[in-house]
Amino acid sequence: MTSDQITTALAKLYTDGGHRIVLWNDPDQEFTDFARKLALDGVTVVYLEEESALEIKKRLELDDPSGNYLLYSGKEPPPMEVDWLLDIRHYAHNFRADKASILIDDLGLMNHSLRAHLIHRRKFFDSKERVKKLMPLVLPTDLEAELDRKMLAVVLKAEQPDLFSFLRVLFQQMSDEAELDFSIPTSGWEQILKLELDGFFWELVRGYFGYMEEAPSLKNLLIRLLVTDFATSLRAETPVGLQSLLLPEAGRPNAAVCLSQWRDSNSTGTAYDHLAGKIAKILHMDDLIPALGSEALEGVKTFVEVEKQLMRLLRDRVIETPETVNTAKIRQIAQSRMNGHWASPSLPDTHETPRKAFRAVYEALVTAAEFLELRHDHAQGFHQPTAVDHWKAYQGGLYRFDQLYRQFCGHADVAESQTWSILKPLREQIELHYGNGFLTNLALAWGGCLEGGLLDHWKLPEVLNQQDFFAARVAPVLEEGPNRKVFVIISDAFRYEAARELLAELNGRYRTRATLETMLGVLPSYTALGMASLLPHETLSYKETGEVLADGKSTSGIAARNAILDGHEGIALQAEEVMALKRDEIRDRIRGKRVIYIYHDKVDSIGDHASTESGTFKAVREAIQELGQLTRQIIDKMNGSHVLITADHGFLYQDSNPSWPDKTPLPGKPEGTVISKKRYLLGHSLPPHPTVWHGETRTTAGATGGMQFWVPKGTTRFHFVGGARFVHGGAMLQEIMVPLITVNEIEGKSKQQTQTKDVEVIVVGQNHKMTTSRHRFQLIQAEPVSDRVKPVTLKVGVFDEAQPVTDVVKVTFQSNSDSMNERTQYVGLTLLDRVFDNKKLYHLRLIDDATGIERSRYSISIDKAFHDDF
């Protein structure tokens, strides 16, 4: 400060500040000469070294108790026990004019003993910008260590002034700037060195982790952190080659928590991937990890090599124990890994860390285990006494073979898009069990029903025939009143097992209730006949050319169907048009219409072409999503309250190409043939043949015109022209069991019953206390998961206010079991190695991973038996 600035500042203390006595200590005696010449209006300047303290005290308090005084000293204040002016110092204003003292005042610090430390850190304080950023962080009671931590936070632009935040920034820079070359210092580390904060940094590291070296480095620290985290989570002895790299035992909990928080960080988590991969190569983890079993590795999340090894081990377990595979255990391990770092859905999917593919592998392993468990449950085969019993058996559970097979292939396709071969042997096994085990045996069992008379009458008790759809399910609703409307969505080749999946999604929505029934589809099960059967009609018939007519009118194409529906106050629309139009536009389009047919074509458009049929299962998943969106559009934009979702037919699909044994060669195309396809043949006066099912469409579709059909027995094809994996037209349950979903919008009080919620989770016990560095909590899912009670993934950790003092673990609660034991999970948390106040309450917090909202919290006391100071 200049002389004029000092004079002005002192004068304001009396005039504006209302102070009577001001104490000015100038231990460096920078302003002694100036003080002797200083003249302030109405203020007496007293030089403390030139008068006795007792005399000064007497003058200020007795002789002149109202006068203004400036007490100048060229020394620091004496110790309190010999300070005659101590009481005056408590109510007087202390003034300093040196830079360090001004800084203390500017920062709002209470302790003027920090002057020497601020002088020591003068390189930091040379920058006004750094000082400006430091100010909001400083507390009046801060001492040297707190200030240094906050200086580091400013230099590194860290989220918090703590070591873990510093390390995340430095390691992020190491990943971004040095291109994994550990010999290149990062910008942040260069600043630390320049400002001479490195000594404090390494003191901090030593205090937290016990890491000490003659020449410490970030590279060596990172290696030891990773090795220690690996060893701490490993349920086996640490490999000999890594033991010398472990941090001291007292620092291991902190290392585990530090890396857990780093992995969980959305902003710096990808840097962990880069650096952990680099260190893994230096440590030759590829050579060390294969010697460890799945139980040893289950809790380890340090290296991606662990993830890959666990996938291999789980795959081998599924392959090697198909009859006794423990599906629940496979699911538990897989879900735990999908909640972890390498397969986390909340972290980005990158070329280096393809998280989506990792998740797909785990999903495939769980699905394969479920498939094999289902196969084991039906080891005695699929025979049922009657056709309706077969129908009910498939409807009640056998459809899961097709559903699980589809889901497995979908997950495996995602994994194999990375050119991974990890699922290849399992895929071969599932393919074998599905084709030769399930389809073949189901075909034999169901074939007996067809042969036993079903083809002759084509009816099942309590099962609607597809050609009666309009009369039985649409017309009665219209008859309820002139304002009633029915929306019908027809999705080409949308089969029953996919409808079960769609049903669960629809019933998971507010104000929506959906039910599923089945219809006995027309035979042959192909598009033209199936679509015609769903239209309003009195009679169906065939022209000589094979065209299907409804009451003598063409049913081929959207225009022809629209003409038929127009006679019933109806309209035919394409799903793409409905989804594209705005609310007012689509309402104008259907104004005055009571029957709205919406045609959706995803599965058949992909599966029915050789060039795209490999995408059939992906198309099914997309169809489920689109039908859900379309239903929502009808309810929200079109004011629909009654929606029917059905299909023209189902399909058969196998991922592997059919071989020649799967072909039933046509025994010479019979005379009278009109249409010949892979799974059916239509014609007049067709002769019987032992390799085919032979029947009349009058019986199987109510279609006149003398049209007869052949369909190959079982799952075989007549020929392989065009695509051969996706087929329909035959009499397998997957082709003729047509789903019919009824969706109603629920209003009034009843809509409250359709509300969805996340499943509740509670922590067992009261008066929770942590007494060791590792503590296990018992969490119970309060009720089974259902259509309206949704699974939830929670972050679980112990917090001191907003800061975690343990690692934070992700846990998914998704059990649909009625058994509370099966809905119980245990979460182990590692406590930071630091001093905790045993009289303070900390909190175990359960935080929704999707929203970041705290679901619940429980008070925790921490009273460790001892704290290792060494």
Side-chain angles (χ1 to χ4, degrees), residues 27 116 199 296 357 392 515 546 599 667 685 710 771:
K392 289 179 179 178
T515 57
Y599 291 91
S685 303
W710 279 3
T771 58

Side-chain angles (χ1 to χ4, degrees), residues 590-610:
I590 65 172
R591 184 166 282 114
K593 306 298 181 182
R594 299 182 64 204
V595 183
I596 299 92
Y597 271 48
I598 301 172
Y599 291 91
H600 174 265
D601 187 11
K602 171 63 74 171
V603 179
D604 199 73
S605 66
I606 296 296
D608 214 24
H609 301 279

Side-chain angles (χ1 to χ4, degrees), residues 255-541:
V257 174
C258 175
L259 292 200
S260 172
Q261 292 182 11
W262 183 12
R263 284 191 293 264
D264 195 46
S265 168
N266 289 328
S267 58
T268 61
T270 51
Y272 181 93
D273 300 351
H274 294 305
L275 298 177
K278 180 78 170 180
I279 298 300
K281 290 179 181 178
I282 293 172
L283 298 173
H284 302 289
M285 296 305 296
D286 268 340
D287 299 329
L288 298 175
I289 289 175
L292 299 165
S294 60
E295 289 188 3
L297 294 171
E298 275 181 35
V300 181
K301 298 173 183 175
T302 314
F303 300 109
V304 72
E305 287 74 14
V306 172
E307 211 69 45
K308 294 176 179 178
Q309 177 66 2
L310 267 173
M311 290 176 187
R312 296 187 198 101
L313 293 170
L314 289 181
R315 175 205 60 193
D316 293 345
R317 187 185 299 185
V318 174
I319 290 174
E320 293 165 7
T321 59
E323 306 299 330
T324 59
V325 62
N326 187 338
T327 304
K329 182 63 176 175
I330 298 291
R331 186 184 297 110
Q332 178 260 316
I333 296 173
Q335 188 58 62
S336 173
R337 302 309 299 187
M338 287 189 284
N339 286 337
H341 175 74
W342 299 104
S344 171
S346 59
L347 290 173
D349 190 64
T350 65
H351 175 73
E352 184 177 25
T353 310
R355 290 183 168 83
K356 182 179 178 181
F358 285 151
R359 289 195 298 276
V361 171
Y362 284 122
E363 295 280 15
L365 293 171
V366 173
T367 307
E370 291 177 344
F371 181 95
L372 294 172
E373 186 175 62
L374 186 66
R375 171 178 171 268
H376 178 70
D377 292 342
H378 293 277
Q380 301 305 313
F382 308 113
H383 178 72
Q384 298 289 336
T386 66
V388 72
D389 290 325
H390 270 288
W391 189 269
K392 289 179 179 178
Y394 184 86
Q395 185 179 357
L398 293 183
Y399 76 90
R400 285 284 287 160
F401 279 101
D402 296 305
Q403 191 178 69
L404 290 169
Y405 174 72
R406 169 176 62 83
Q407 292 169 348
F408 172 82
C409 291
H411 297 316
D413 286 343
V414 173
E416 289 174 7
S417 68
Q418 299 291 322
T419 68
W420 295 347
S421 60
I422 182 171
L423 292 175
K424 183 178 180 182
L426 181 58
R427 191 165 195 162
E428 291 171 353
Q429 187 181 87
I430 296 297
E431 191 70 31
L432 183 66
H433 290 317
Y434 180 71
N436 295 352
F438 172 64
L439 286 181
T440 299
N441 289 319
L442 182 67
L444 289 172
W446 179 243
C449 297
L450 296 172
E451 216 162 48
L454 182 59
L455 278 174
D456 297 330
H457 58 83
W458 204 246
K459 286 185 180 297
L460 291 171
E462 300 179 2
V463 178
L464 183 68
N465 280 79
Q466 189 178 14
Q467 64 268 25
D468 297 328
F469 164 75
F470 188 90
R473 294 293 181 267
V474 179
V477 179
L478 299 176
E479 290 168 2
E480 292 175 2
N483 295 323
R484 294 288 276 153
K485 289 184 179 182
V486 179
F487 292 80
V488 179
I489 303 173
I490 303 173
S491 185
D492 204 331
F494 191 68
R495 66 183 184 180
Y496 179 77
E497 61 86 5
R500 291 291 296 236
E501 199 168 311
L502 174 60
L503 180 73
E505 292 195 15
L506 292 172
N507 275 330
R509 296 178 178 179
Y510 181 49
R511 295 187 299 116
T512 301
R513 181 176 291 133
T515 57
L516 172 62
E517 60 179 309
T518 58
M519 297 190 290
L520 178 59
V522 295
L523 192 66
S525 52
Y526 72 104
T527 298
L529 183 56
M531 291 294 185
S533 72
L534 295 168
L535 289 166
H537 64 271
E538 293 294 328
T539 60
L540 294 177
S541 60

